[in-house]
């Protein structure tokens, strides 16, 4: 169940998610400019909101004690927590938030692909 005020969106294209987060998570990533930071934060929130229901539906179709199911559902719990975080009141906090959202989006993308391959 999405937190109040968050719409359920269609899952984004996984390749697009990966292309978006790759430069944000690179070891030599440069901080984003303030306007780009806000835009990227909104985009990542949309990706996460779209991936959650897709991953959850696939995970819940697996047997109750299945390890990949449990891992995916734990990731979904963390994703909801990340979506509830505010945008931050300094550029440093906002930059940290973008990285955390990027990691969450990537983890959900990984679960989405892995669960779809699970027999």
């Amino acid at each position: 169940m999405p937190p109040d005020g968050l719409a359920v969106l269609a899952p984004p294209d996984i390749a697009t998610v990966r292309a978006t987060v790759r430069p944000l998570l690179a070891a030599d990533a440069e901080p984003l400019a303030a306007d780009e930071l806000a835009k990227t934060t909104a985009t990542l929130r949309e990706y996460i909101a779209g991936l959650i229901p897709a991953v959850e539906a696939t995970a819940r179709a697996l047997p109750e004690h299945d390890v990949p199911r449990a891992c995916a559902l734990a990731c979904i719990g963390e994703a909801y927590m990340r979506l509830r975080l505010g945008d931050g009141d300094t550029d440093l906090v906002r930059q940290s938030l973008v990285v955390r959202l990027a990691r969450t989006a990537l983890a959900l993308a990984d679960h989405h692909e892995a669960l779809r391959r699970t027999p």
Side-chain angles (χ1 to χ4, degrees):
M1 172 81 48
D4 292 337
L6 291 175
V8 174
L9 303 171
D13 176 66
I14 299 300
T16 302
V17 173
R18 291 186 187 287
T20 301
V21 303
R22 189 175 301 118
L24 300 170
L25 299 178
D28 60 349
E30 293 288 327
L32 298 174
D35 60 331
E36 193 64 25
L37 201 51
K39 179 182 168 192
T40 304
T41 298
T43 298
L44 291 171
R45 287 181 186 277
E46 287 179 17
Y47 289 169
I48 292 167
L51 281 165
I52 287 172
V55 172
E56 187 169 24
T58 307
R60 293 208 183 275
L62 297 173
E64 187 174 335
H65 298 291
D66 191 72
V67 173
R69 177 187 198 262
C71 291
L73 294 176
C75 183
I76 288 167
E78 183 165 326
Y80 279 131
M81 183 270 307
R82 295 272 189 244
L83 289 177
R84 286 190 293 270
L85 293 174
D87 288 333
D89 53 0
T90 68
D91 283 343
L92 185 60
V93 172
R94 287 187 280 273
Q95 189 66 42
S96 175
L97 175 65
V98 160
V99 170
R100 290 168 194 231
L101 291 173
R103 287 182 184 142
T104 298
L106 182 59
L108 286 169
D110 289 345
H111 285 295
H112 187 266
E113 288 184 332
L115 293 176
R116 290 176 138 346
R117 287 192 300 262
T118 303

